[in-house]
Amino acid sequence: MNGESFNIEIHNDGYVDYYSVTSDVSSTNLDAVSEYVDELIKSKTDPLEGDEPMVDDGGNIIQGDVVNFSRSLSNTDRSGKGKLNTSGYSEYAYLYPVTSNKMRVNNGTINANFTGSGTANKIFLNYNYKFNGTSASISFSPGLTRSSTTVSWKSSSFKNTKSASAKSLWAQATSRTLLSSTNIRGGAEVYKGSVAYRPDYSSTVRWMNK
């Protein structure tokens, strides 16, 4: 990348490929390397994986009014930098309340970098989605865990790495009464020696808003 060589290691936890840049990439080139890895993940990712279309009693697909959204979230905590790129939509069903309204977060990408000299001892990635509404039914990728109306994920540790990346997984809520918003939160834990950097970030997507 821009004349600089780097190593990428790829591991799989059964659900997600982890991409780890193990070389000490220069700070001026680190963003470009991270974007390269993001594009690599996107090329192997189906954003709508796991999506279940709404159907009527006859099994016919029903398409309601849809508002799409996208989020590019990031934050820096001293020498730790994190970002999450994702998209999704709200869907208002034509036959509500016979059929359900939906809020969905698609597959995306999550990344964290150590911007100091050398490599980090360990990096963990994490994110969660909290669906707000009444009588919401939650479905999600098998790689996520659920507590009430929040689904979450935390990676295994990336050791001796400069940059860590993974696919963020889909989740959605449906309700025949009320969906009000979805809170998307991401972050990382970047450890260098005895110091921990925690770049966290979040965004709230309102029902039927971009």
Side-chain angles (χ1 to χ4, degrees), residues 128-162:
N128 64 59
Y129 316 133
K130 179 176 173 58
F131 297 98
N132 302 300
T134 304
S135 302
S137 175
I138 313 296
S139 55
F140 50 91
S141 167
L144 301 176
T145 59
R146 175 185 173 185
S147 176
S148 185
T149 59
T150 299
V151 295
S152 59
W153 178 85
K154 183 175 181 178
S155 72
S156 301
S157 65
F158 297 78
K159 296 180 179 179
N160 301 316
T161 188
K162 189 73 173 181

PDB file of all heavy atoms in Angstrom, residues 128-162:
ATOM      1  N   ASN A 128     -23.026  -3.531  19.848  1.00  0.00           N
ATOM      2  CA  ASN A 128     -24.361  -4.025  20.189  1.00  0.00           C
ATOM      3  C   ASN A 128     -25.430  -3.154  19.538  1.00  0.00           C
ATOM      4  O   ASN A 128     -25.177  -2.001  19.183  1.00  0.00           O
ATOM      5  CB  ASN A 128     -24.569  -4.130  21.703  1.00  0.00           C
ATOM      6  CG  ASN A 128     -24.523  -2.803  22.427  1.00  0.00           C
ATOM      7  OD1 ASN A 128     -25.312  -1.902  22.142  1.00  0.00           O
ATOM      8  ND2 ASN A 128     -23.596  -2.659  23.371  1.00  0.00           N
ATOM      9  N   TYR A 129     -26.607  -3.741  19.368  1.00  0.00           N
ATOM     10  CA  TYR A 129     -27.776  -3.035  18.855  1.00  0.00           C
ATOM     11  C   TYR A 129     -28.894  -3.184  19.886  1.00  0.00           C
ATOM     12  O   TYR A 129     -29.229  -4.300  20.278  1.00  0.00           O
ATOM     13  CB  TYR A 129     -28.278  -3.625  17.537  1.00  0.00           C
ATOM     14  CG  TYR A 129     -27.224  -3.956  16.507  1.00  0.00           C
ATOM     15  CD1 TYR A 129     -27.248  -5.188  15.844  1.00  0.00           C
ATOM     16  CD2 TYR A 129     -26.209  -3.059  16.197  1.00  0.00           C
ATOM     17  CE1 TYR A 129     -26.307  -5.504  14.894  1.00  0.00           C
ATOM     18  CE2 TYR A 129     -25.251  -3.371  15.256  1.00  0.00           C
ATOM     19  CZ  TYR A 129     -25.309  -4.602  14.604  1.00  0.00           C
ATOM     20  OH  TYR A 129     -24.354  -4.922  13.663  1.00  0.00           O
ATOM     21  N   LYS A 130     -29.479  -2.075  20.287  1.00  0.00           N
ATOM     22  CA  LYS A 130     -30.623  -2.107  21.210  1.00  0.00           C
ATOM     23  C   LYS A 130     -31.864  -1.646  20.462  1.00  0.00           C
ATOM     24  O   LYS A 130     -31.925  -0.507  19.977  1.00  0.00           O
ATOM     25  CB  LYS A 130     -30.374  -1.209  22.431  1.00  0.00           C
ATOM     26  CG  LYS A 130     -31.548  -1.187  23.407  1.00  0.00           C
ATOM     27  CD  LYS A 130     -31.228  -0.363  24.645  1.00  0.00           C
ATOM     28  CE  LYS A 130     -32.448  -0.200  25.545  1.00  0.00           C
ATOM     29  NZ  LYS A 130     -33.011  -1.492  25.977  1.00  0.00           N
ATOM     30  N   PHE A 131     -32.850  -2.522  20.357  1.00  0.00           N
ATOM     31  CA  PHE A 131     -34.099  -2.220  19.656  1.00  0.00           C
ATOM     32  C   PHE A 131     -35.133  -1.747  20.676  1.00  0.00           C
ATOM     33  O   PHE A 131     -35.433  -2.449  21.646  1.00  0.00           O
ATOM     34  CB  PHE A 131     -34.607  -3.458  18.928  1.00  0.00           C
ATOM     35  CG  PHE A 131     -33.686  -3.942  17.846  1.00  0.00           C
ATOM     36  CD1 PHE A 131     -32.798  -4.976  18.080  1.00  0.00           C
ATOM     37  CD2 PHE A 131     -33.694  -3.352  16.593  1.00  0.00           C
ATOM     38  CE1 PHE A 131     -31.939  -5.434  17.095  1.00  0.00           C
ATOM     39  CE2 PHE A 131     -32.837  -3.793  15.591  1.00  0.00           C
ATOM     40  CZ  PHE A 131     -31.962  -4.838  15.839  1.00  0.00           C
ATOM     41  N   ASN A 132     -35.680  -0.562  20.436  1.00  0.00           N
ATOM     42  CA  ASN A 132     -36.628   0.050  21.367  1.00  0.00           C
ATOM     43  C   ASN A 132     -38.033   0.026  20.772  1.00  0.00           C
ATOM     44  O   ASN A 132     -38.248   0.471  19.645  1.00  0.00           O
ATOM     45  CB  ASN A 132     -36.210   1.495  21.665  1.00  0.00           C
ATOM     46  CG  ASN A 132     -34.809   1.572  22.243  1.00  0.00           C
ATOM     47  OD1 ASN A 132     -34.525   1.012  23.281  1.00  0.00           O
ATOM     48  ND2 ASN A 132     -33.914   2.278  21.545  1.00  0.00           N
ATOM     49  N   GLY A 133     -38.965  -0.494  21.536  1.00  0.00           N
ATOM     50  CA  GLY A 133     -40.340  -0.572  21.073  1.00  0.00           C
ATOM     51  C   GLY A 133     -41.170  -1.383  22.042  1.00  0.00           C
ATOM     52  O   GLY A 133     -40.743  -1.708  23.149  1.00  0.00           O
ATOM     53  N   THR A 134     -42.383  -1.715  21.611  1.00  0.00           N
ATOM     54  CA  THR A 134     -43.311  -2.477  22.440  1.00  0.00           C
ATOM     55  C   THR A 134     -43.549  -3.844  21.819  1.00  0.00           C
ATOM     56  O   THR A 134     -43.817  -3.943  20.621  1.00  0.00           O
ATOM     57  CB  THR A 134     -44.651  -1.730  22.567  1.00  0.00           C
ATOM     58  OG1 THR A 134     -44.406  -0.420  23.070  1.00  0.00           O
ATOM     59  CG2 THR A 134     -45.595  -2.459  23.494  1.00  0.00           C
ATOM     60  N   SER A 135     -43.416  -4.891  22.621  1.00  0.00           N
ATOM     61  CA  SER A 135     -43.662  -6.270  22.168  1.00  0.00           C
ATOM     62  C   SER A 135     -42.824  -6.601  20.939  1.00  0.00           C
ATOM     63  O   SER A 135     -43.313  -7.212  19.974  1.00  0.00           O
ATOM     64  CB  SER A 135     -45.150  -6.476  21.862  1.00  0.00           C
ATOM     65  OG  SER A 135     -45.932  -6.201  22.998  1.00  0.00           O
ATOM     66  N   ALA A 136     -41.553  -6.196  20.972  1.00  0.00           N
ATOM     67  CA  ALA A 136     -40.670  -6.432  19.837  1.00  0.00           C
ATOM     68  C   ALA A 136     -40.168  -7.875  19.843  1.00  0.00           C
ATOM     69  O   ALA A 136     -39.780  -8.419  20.875  1.00  0.00           O
ATOM     70  CB  ALA A 136     -39.489  -5.472  19.883  1.00  0.00           C
ATOM     71  N   SER A 137     -40.177  -8.479  18.662  1.00  0.00           N
ATOM     72  CA  SER A 137     -39.619  -9.814  18.474  1.00  0.00           C
ATOM     73  C   SER A 137     -38.253  -9.649  17.798  1.00  0.00           C
ATOM     74  O   SER A 137     -38.158  -9.013  16.745  1.00  0.00           O
ATOM     75  CB  SER A 137     -40.556 -10.664  17.615  1.00  0.00           C
ATOM     76  OG  SER A 137     -39.968 -11.916  17.330  1.00  0.00           O
ATOM     77  N   ILE A 138     -37.206 -10.207  18.399  1.00  0.00           N
ATOM     78  CA  ILE A 138     -35.835  -9.998  17.928  1.00  0.00           C
ATOM     79  C   ILE A 138     -35.329 -11.255  17.232  1.00  0.00           C
ATOM     80  O   ILE A 138     -35.463 -12.371  17.754  1.00  0.00           O
ATOM     81  CB  ILE A 138     -34.881  -9.671  19.099  1.00  0.00           C
ATOM     82  CG1 ILE A 138     -35.479  -8.597  20.021  1.00  0.00           C
ATOM     83  CG2 ILE A 138     -33.522  -9.255  18.570  1.00  0.00           C
ATOM     84  CD1 ILE A 138     -35.683  -7.267  19.376  1.00  0.00           C
ATOM     85  N   SER A 139     -34.740 -11.074  16.049  1.00  0.00           N
ATOM     86  CA  SER A 139     -34.030 -12.160  15.381  1.00  0.00           C
ATOM     87  C   SER A 139     -32.658 -11.639  14.991  1.00  0.00           C
ATOM     88  O   SER A 139     -32.468 -10.439  14.780  1.00  0.00           O
ATOM     89  CB  SER A 139     -34.798 -12.670  14.157  1.00  0.00           C
ATOM     90  OG  SER A 139     -35.079 -11.625  13.256  1.00  0.00           O
ATOM     91  N   PHE A 140     -31.682 -12.560  14.883  1.00  0.00           N
ATOM     92  CA  PHE A 140     -30.300 -12.111  14.698  1.00  0.00           C
ATOM     93  C   PHE A 140     -29.422 -13.259  14.231  1.00  0.00           C
ATOM     94  O   PHE A 140     -29.794 -14.435  14.315  1.00  0.00           O
ATOM     95  CB  PHE A 140     -29.751 -11.541  16.018  1.00  0.00           C
ATOM     96  CG  PHE A 140     -29.941 -12.436  17.214  1.00  0.00           C
ATOM     97  CD1 PHE A 140     -28.981 -13.359  17.583  1.00  0.00           C
ATOM     98  CD2 PHE A 140     -31.110 -12.357  17.972  1.00  0.00           C
ATOM     99  CE1 PHE A 140     -29.166 -14.184  18.673  1.00  0.00           C
ATOM    100  CE2 PHE A 140     -31.299 -13.183  19.070  1.00  0.00           C
ATOM    101  CZ  PHE A 140     -30.326 -14.100  19.421  1.00  0.00           C
ATOM    102  N   SER A 141     -28.241 -12.890  13.740  1.00  0.00           N
ATOM    103  CA  SER A 141     -27.258 -13.871  13.289  1.00  0.00           C
ATOM    104  C   SER A 141     -26.863 -14.784  14.453  1.00  0.00           C
ATOM    105  O   SER A 141     -26.773 -14.335  15.599  1.00  0.00           O
ATOM    106  CB  SER A 141     -26.012 -13.155  12.763  1.00  0.00           C
ATOM    107  OG  SER A 141     -24.936 -14.067  12.594  1.00  0.00           O
ATOM    108  N   PRO A 142     -26.595 -16.068  14.177  1.00  0.00           N
ATOM    109  CA  PRO A 142     -26.170 -16.979  15.251  1.00  0.00           C
ATOM    110  C   PRO A 142     -24.879 -16.554  15.954  1.00  0.00           C
ATOM    111  O   PRO A 142     -24.611 -17.016  17.063  1.00  0.00           O
ATOM    112  CB  PRO A 142     -25.955 -18.304  14.504  1.00  0.00           C
ATOM    113  CG  PRO A 142     -26.802 -18.201  13.292  1.00  0.00           C
ATOM    114  CD  PRO A 142     -26.769 -16.758  12.900  1.00  0.00           C
ATOM    115  N   GLY A 143     -24.084 -15.679  15.356  1.00  0.00           N
ATOM    116  CA  GLY A 143     -22.845 -15.230  15.989  1.00  0.00           C
ATOM    117  C   GLY A 143     -23.039 -14.208  17.086  1.00  0.00           C
ATOM    118  O   GLY A 143     -22.093 -13.873  17.800  1.00  0.00           O
ATOM    119  N   LEU A 144     -24.284 -13.705  17.262  1.00  0.00           N
ATOM    120  CA  LEU A 144     -24.575 -12.698  18.275  1.00  0.00           C
ATOM    121  C   LEU A 144     -25.200 -13.336  19.514  1.00  0.00           C
ATOM    122  O   LEU A 144     -25.688 -14.462  19.467  1.00  0.00           O
ATOM    123  CB  LEU A 144     -25.521 -11.637  17.710  1.00  0.00           C
ATOM    124  CG  LEU A 144     -25.049 -10.872  16.476  1.00  0.00           C
ATOM    125  CD1 LEU A 144     -26.137  -9.935  15.981  1.00  0.00           C
ATOM    126  CD2 LEU A 144     -23.770 -10.112  16.765  1.00  0.00           C
ATOM    127  N   THR A 145     -25.198 -12.594  20.611  1.00  0.00           N
ATOM    128  CA  THR A 145     -25.902 -13.025  21.815  1.00  0.00           C
ATOM    129  C   THR A 145     -26.952 -11.976  22.174  1.00  0.00           C
ATOM    130  O   THR A 145     -26.799 -10.798  21.837  1.00  0.00           O
ATOM    131  CB  THR A 145     -24.938 -13.217  23.004  1.00  0.00           C
ATOM    132  OG1 THR A 145     -24.262 -11.980  23.272  1.00  0.00           O
ATOM    133  CG2 THR A 145     -23.916 -14.300  22.710  1.00  0.00           C
ATOM    134  N   ARG A 146     -28.004 -12.404  22.879  1.00  0.00           N
ATOM    135  CA  ARG A 146     -29.114 -11.509  23.182  1.00  0.00           C
ATOM    136  C   ARG A 146     -29.351 -11.409  24.677  1.00  0.00           C
ATOM    137  O   ARG A 146     -29.272 -12.397  25.401  1.00  0.00           O
ATOM    138  CB  ARG A 146     -30.394 -12.018  22.509  1.00  0.00           C
ATOM    139  CG  ARG A 146     -31.628 -11.195  22.867  1.00  0.00           C
ATOM    140  CD  ARG A 146     -32.878 -11.790  22.282  1.00  0.00           C
ATOM    141  NE  ARG A 146     -34.064 -11.101  22.769  1.00  0.00           N
ATOM    142  CZ  ARG A 146     -35.315 -11.470  22.497  1.00  0.00           C
ATOM    143  NH1 ARG A 146     -35.547 -12.517  21.742  1.00  0.00           N
ATOM    144  NH2 ARG A 146     -36.323 -10.775  22.987  1.00  0.00           N
ATOM    145  N   SER A 147     -29.649 -10.179  25.132  1.00  0.00           N
ATOM    146  CA  SER A 147     -30.122  -9.932  26.483  1.00  0.00           C
ATOM    147  C   SER A 147     -31.272  -8.942  26.380  1.00  0.00           C
ATOM    148  O   SER A 147     -31.060  -7.781  26.009  1.00  0.00           O
ATOM    149  CB  SER A 147     -29.005  -9.357  27.362  1.00  0.00           C
ATOM    150  OG  SER A 147     -29.484  -9.028  28.649  1.00  0.00           O
ATOM    151  N   SER A 148     -32.484  -9.392  26.636  1.00  0.00           N
ATOM    152  CA  SER A 148     -33.681  -8.575  26.480  1.00  0.00           C
ATOM    153  C   SER A 148     -33.793  -8.110  25.026  1.00  0.00           C
ATOM    154  O   SER A 148     -33.809  -8.939  24.120  1.00  0.00           O
ATOM    155  CB  SER A 148     -33.651  -7.392  27.452  1.00  0.00           C
ATOM    156  OG  SER A 148     -34.844  -6.664  27.406  1.00  0.00           O
ATOM    157  N   THR A 149     -33.818  -6.786  24.758  1.00  0.00           N
ATOM    158  CA  THR A 149     -33.931  -6.295  23.381  1.00  0.00           C
ATOM    159  C   THR A 149     -32.590  -5.824  22.824  1.00  0.00           C
ATOM    160  O   THR A 149     -32.548  -5.085  21.843  1.00  0.00           O
ATOM    161  CB  THR A 149     -34.943  -5.136  23.296  1.00  0.00           C
ATOM    162  OG1 THR A 149     -34.518  -4.065  24.146  1.00  0.00           O
ATOM    163  CG2 THR A 149     -36.330  -5.600  23.706  1.00  0.00           C
ATOM    164  N   THR A 150     -31.488  -6.249  23.441  1.00  0.00           N
ATOM    165  CA  THR A 150     -30.146  -5.892  22.973  1.00  0.00           C
ATOM    166  C   THR A 150     -29.421  -7.140  22.488  1.00  0.00           C
ATOM    167  O   THR A 150     -29.409  -8.170  23.174  1.00  0.00           O
ATOM    168  CB  THR A 150     -29.326  -5.241  24.104  1.00  0.00           C
ATOM    169  OG1 THR A 150     -29.972  -4.044  24.524  1.00  0.00           O
ATOM    170  CG2 THR A 150     -27.917  -4.893  23.626  1.00  0.00           C
ATOM    171  N   VAL A 151     -28.839  -7.057  21.294  1.00  0.00           N
ATOM    172  CA  VAL A 151     -27.977  -8.129  20.799  1.00  0.00           C
ATOM    173  C   VAL A 151     -26.553  -7.585  20.748  1.00  0.00           C
ATOM    174  O   VAL A 151     -26.331  -6.398  20.479  1.00  0.00           O
ATOM    175  CB  VAL A 151     -28.415  -8.648  19.422  1.00  0.00           C
ATOM    176  CG1 VAL A 151     -29.771  -9.313  19.506  1.00  0.00           C
ATOM    177  CG2 VAL A 151     -28.449  -7.529  18.392  1.00  0.00           C
ATOM    178  N   SER A 152     -25.565  -8.423  21.025  1.00  0.00           N
ATOM    179  CA  SER A 152     -24.192  -7.932  21.144  1.00  0.00           C
ATOM    180  C   SER A 152     -23.189  -8.964  20.655  1.00  0.00           C
ATOM    181  O   SER A 152     -23.508 -10.149  20.485  1.00  0.00           O
ATOM    182  CB  SER A 152     -23.890  -7.547  22.598  1.00  0.00           C
ATOM    183  OG  SER A 152     -24.056  -8.663  23.451  1.00  0.00           O
ATOM    184  N   TRP A 153     -21.956  -8.495  20.474  1.00  0.00           N
ATOM    185  CA  TRP A 153     -20.848  -9.339  20.015  1.00  0.00           C
ATOM    186  C   TRP A 153     -19.543  -8.760  20.532  1.00  0.00           C
ATOM    187  O   TRP A 153     -19.374  -7.537  20.577  1.00  0.00           O
ATOM    188  CB  TRP A 153     -20.818  -9.387  18.498  1.00  0.00           C
ATOM    189  CG  TRP A 153     -19.693 -10.175  17.895  1.00  0.00           C
ATOM    190  CD1 TRP A 153     -19.660 -11.522  17.670  1.00  0.00           C
ATOM    191  CD2 TRP A 153     -18.450  -9.665  17.393  1.00  0.00           C
ATOM    192  NE1 TRP A 153     -18.468 -11.882  17.074  1.00  0.00           N
ATOM    193  CE2 TRP A 153     -17.710 -10.756  16.893  1.00  0.00           C
ATOM    194  CE3 TRP A 153     -17.897  -8.378  17.324  1.00  0.00           C
ATOM    195  CZ2 TRP A 153     -16.444 -10.609  16.337  1.00  0.00           C
ATOM    196  CZ3 TRP A 153     -16.634  -8.237  16.769  1.00  0.00           C
ATOM    197  CH2 TRP A 153     -15.927  -9.338  16.281  1.00  0.00           C
ATOM    198  N   LYS A 154     -18.644  -9.660  20.946  1.00  0.00           N
ATOM    199  CA  LYS A 154     -17.277  -9.260  21.291  1.00  0.00           C
ATOM    200  C   LYS A 154     -16.327 -10.288  20.712  1.00  0.00           C
ATOM    201  O   LYS A 154     -16.548 -11.499  20.842  1.00  0.00           O
ATOM    202  CB  LYS A 154     -17.095  -9.158  22.810  1.00  0.00           C
ATOM    203  CG  LYS A 154     -15.696  -8.666  23.196  1.00  0.00           C
ATOM    204  CD  LYS A 154     -15.564  -8.445  24.700  1.00  0.00           C
ATOM    205  CE  LYS A 154     -14.165  -7.927  25.042  1.00  0.00           C
ATOM    206  NZ  LYS A 154     -14.017  -7.643  26.501  1.00  0.00           N
ATOM    207  N   SER A 155     -15.274  -9.800  20.104  1.00  0.00           N
ATOM    208  CA  SER A 155     -14.322 -10.694  19.450  1.00  0.00           C
ATOM    209  C   SER A 155     -13.429 -11.393  20.460  1.00  0.00           C
ATOM    210  O   SER A 155     -13.320 -10.990  21.623  1.00  0.00           O
ATOM    211  CB  SER A 155     -13.440  -9.891  18.474  1.00  0.00           C
ATOM    212  OG  SER A 155     -12.532  -9.074  19.195  1.00  0.00           O
ATOM    213  N   SER A 156     -12.784 -12.452  20.015  1.00  0.00           N
ATOM    214  CA  SER A 156     -11.631 -12.971  20.728  1.00  0.00           C
ATOM    215  C   SER A 156     -10.506 -11.953  20.598  1.00  0.00           C
ATOM    216  O   SER A 156     -10.606 -10.987  19.828  1.00  0.00           O
ATOM    217  CB  SER A 156     -11.200 -14.314  20.135  1.00  0.00           C
ATOM    218  OG  SER A 156     -12.248 -15.257  20.198  1.00  0.00           O
ATOM    219  N   SER A 157      -9.422 -12.152  21.314  1.00  0.00           N
ATOM    220  CA  SER A 157      -8.350 -11.155  21.279  1.00  0.00           C
ATOM    221  C   SER A 157      -7.505 -11.292  20.016  1.00  0.00           C
ATOM    222  O   SER A 157      -7.192 -12.399  19.566  1.00  0.00           O
ATOM    223  CB  SER A 157      -7.453 -11.295  22.507  1.00  0.00           C
ATOM    224  OG  SER A 157      -6.775 -12.541  22.492  1.00  0.00           O
ATOM    225  N   PHE A 158      -7.198 -10.156  19.421  1.00  0.00           N
ATOM    226  CA  PHE A 158      -6.188 -10.071  18.375  1.00  0.00           C
ATOM    227  C   PHE A 158      -4.873  -9.752  19.077  1.00  0.00           C
ATOM    228  O   PHE A 158      -4.763  -8.707  19.725  1.00  0.00           O
ATOM    229  CB  PHE A 158      -6.504  -8.939  17.396  1.00  0.00           C
ATOM    230  CG  PHE A 158      -7.784  -9.102  16.618  1.00  0.00           C
ATOM    231  CD1 PHE A 158      -9.017  -8.823  17.198  1.00  0.00           C
ATOM    232  CD2 PHE A 158      -7.761  -9.503  15.297  1.00  0.00           C
ATOM    233  CE1 PHE A 158     -10.196  -8.943  16.476  1.00  0.00           C
ATOM    234  CE2 PHE A 158      -8.932  -9.624  14.562  1.00  0.00           C
ATOM    235  CZ  PHE A 158     -10.145  -9.348  15.149  1.00  0.00           C
ATOM    236  N   LYS A 159      -3.888 -10.609  18.963  1.00  0.00           N
ATOM    237  CA  LYS A 159      -2.636 -10.408  19.696  1.00  0.00           C
ATOM    238  C   LYS A 159      -1.527  -9.887  18.783  1.00  0.00           C
ATOM    239  O   LYS A 159      -1.410 -10.308  17.633  1.00  0.00           O
ATOM    240  CB  LYS A 159      -2.201 -11.719  20.352  1.00  0.00           C
ATOM    241  CG  LYS A 159      -3.174 -12.212  21.410  1.00  0.00           C
ATOM    242  CD  LYS A 159      -2.712 -13.508  22.042  1.00  0.00           C
ATOM    243  CE  LYS A 159      -3.688 -13.976  23.107  1.00  0.00           C
ATOM    244  NZ  LYS A 159      -3.278 -15.264  23.733  1.00  0.00           N
ATOM    245  N   ASN A 160      -0.722  -8.949  19.344  1.00  0.00           N
ATOM    246  CA  ASN A 160       0.434  -8.384  18.629  1.00  0.00           C
ATOM    247  C   ASN A 160       0.037  -7.917  17.230  1.00  0.00           C
ATOM    248  O   ASN A 160       0.573  -8.361  16.217  1.00  0.00           O
ATOM    249  CB  ASN A 160       1.564  -9.415  18.549  1.00  0.00           C
ATOM    250  CG  ASN A 160       2.019  -9.872  19.918  1.00  0.00           C
ATOM    251  OD1 ASN A 160       2.192  -9.061  20.834  1.00  0.00           O
ATOM    252  ND2 ASN A 160       2.208 -11.172  20.084  1.00  0.00           N
ATOM    253  N   THR A 161      -0.942  -7.004  17.210  1.00  0.00           N
ATOM    254  CA  THR A 161      -1.496  -6.556  15.941  1.00  0.00           C
ATOM    255  C   THR A 161      -1.559  -5.040  15.872  1.00  0.00           C
ATOM    256  O   THR A 161      -1.643  -4.345  16.896  1.00  0.00           O
ATOM    257  CB  THR A 161      -2.895  -7.166  15.727  1.00  0.00           C
ATOM    258  OG1 THR A 161      -3.346  -6.876  14.417  1.00  0.00           O
ATOM    259  CG2 THR A 161      -3.892  -6.594  16.716  1.00  0.00           C
ATOM    260  N   LYS A 162      -1.535  -4.520  14.677  1.00  0.00           N
ATOM    261  CA  LYS A 162      -1.638  -3.079  14.431  1.00  0.00           C
ATOM    262  C   LYS A 162      -3.074  -2.668  14.152  1.00  0.00           C
ATOM    263  O   LYS A 162      -3.531  -1.604  14.556  1.00  0.00           O
ATOM    264  CB  LYS A 162      -0.762  -2.688  13.239  1.00  0.00           C
ATOM    265  CG  LYS A 162      -0.616  -1.196  13.006  1.00  0.00           C
ATOM    266  CD  LYS A 162       0.265  -0.563  14.046  1.00  0.00           C
ATOM    267  CE  LYS A 162       0.559   0.896  13.725  1.00  0.00           C
ATOM    268  NZ  LYS A 162       1.450   1.510  14.744  1.00  0.00           N
TER     269      LYS A 162
END
